[in-house]
């Protein structure tokens, strides 16, 4: 019997996660059955259950993966001296997270933001998912705080504002942009970058468009 490589196993896991994410985004978490996921990924029940025990484990894996990706971006930025400015950094991270999921399209609409909104809603009733998201956002917030401290050390940002307050606000800004995309339709990440750039120019008489 041919030996199954790790590359094959990783590719199969990726196939299942991507297919499940599209199902959840398209139809909603509760309206999606595991049978829907099996049909989407064109695999047997045994092949899918080898990796995931059910919908809860699937959605938790999707969330954990995305938040880990975001954290890694911010941790890499924190190692730079100074870190990239907020408009550049947030644009880079959002572009990577959203652009890396270009297959999340249904009837010509990019539905990944809808999946994010559904995940947030599900955390209100699912304690395990809520715990996973809290852990994930905690690590993202910690990474953002390191970036803020880098700004403060470089004199790019006033140092009398708690780093955690800035980190929470920047996370809220990104979340709000995703919520707008889910409700009002897709918008380029450049819109968020331009808005941040405008806010950053306040109080700087030398700032010019």
């Amino acid at each position: 019997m041919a030996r199954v490589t790790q590359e094959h196993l990783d590719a199969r896991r990726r196939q299942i996660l991507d297919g499940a994410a599209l199902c959840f985004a398209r139809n909603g978490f509760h309206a999606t059955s595991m049978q829907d996921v099996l049909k989407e990924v064109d695999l047997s029940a045994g092949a899918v259950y080898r990796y995931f025990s059910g919908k809860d484990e699937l959605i938790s894996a999707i969330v954990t993966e995305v938040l880990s990706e975001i954290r890694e971006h911010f941790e890499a930025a924190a190692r730079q001296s100074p870190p990239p400015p907020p408009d550049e950094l947030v644009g880079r991270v959002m572009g990577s997270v959203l652009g890396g999921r270009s297959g999340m399209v249904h009837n010509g609409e990019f539905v990944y933001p809808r999946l994010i909104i559904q995940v947030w809603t599900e955390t209100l009733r699912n304690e395990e998912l809520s715990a996973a998201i809290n852990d994930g956002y905690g690590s993202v917030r910690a990474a953002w705080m390191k970036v803020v401290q880098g700004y403060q050390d470089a004199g790019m940002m006033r140092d009398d504002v708690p780093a955690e307050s800035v980190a929470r606000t920047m996370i809220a800004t990104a979340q709000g942009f995703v919520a707008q995309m889910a409700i009002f339709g897709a918008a380029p990440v450049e819109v968020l970058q331009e808005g941040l750039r405008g806010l950053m120019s306040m109080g700087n008489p030398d700032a010019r468009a």
Side-chain angles (χ1 to χ4, degrees), residues 14-48:
R14 173 85 274 135
Q15 176 187 357
I16 296 168
L17 284 175
D18 289 347
L22 183 56
C23 282
F24 296 149
R26 187 172 57 217
N27 302 320
F29 183 74
H30 292 288
T32 298
S33 67
M34 282 301 293
Q35 193 61 41
D36 293 327
V37 175
L38 298 179
K39 183 178 179 181
E40 182 69 34
V41 300
D42 194 24
L43 292 173
S44 68
V48 172

Side-chain angles (χ1 to χ4, degrees), residues 13 17 29 51-62:
R13 186 177 189 274
L17 284 175
F29 183 74
Y51 295 86
F52 302 100
S53 62
K55 290 196 301 181
D56 285 348
E57 190 171 342
L58 275 166
I59 198 70
S60 181
I62 292 167

Side-chain angles (χ1 to χ4, degrees), residues 167-200:
R168 284 180 176 273
T169 300
M170 294 308 302
I171 291 171
T173 300
Q175 290 175 321
F177 187 72
V178 169
Q180 287 190 40
M181 291 180 70
I183 297 170
F184 305 122
V189 173
E190 287 76 14
V191 172
L192 176 59
Q193 290 182 289
E194 290 167 353
L196 288 172
R197 201 172 299 125
L199 291 172
M200 289 160 56

Side-chain angles (χ1 to χ4, degrees), residues 64-110:
T64 300
E65 180 181 70
V66 173
L67 291 176
S68 294
E69 179 183 343
I70 294 172
R71 186 199 69 240
E72 289 168 5
H73 276 290
F74 287 137
E75 288 181 343
R79 291 192 290 269
Q80 299 181 43
S81 184
D87 60 321
E88 179 183 330
L89 177 55
V90 172
R92 181 190 306 170
V93 175
M94 292 286 286
S96 174
V97 171
L98 297 177
R101 287 153 182 84
S102 57
M104 297 283 292
V105 176
H106 175 60
N107 291 337
E109 178 189 358
F110 182 53

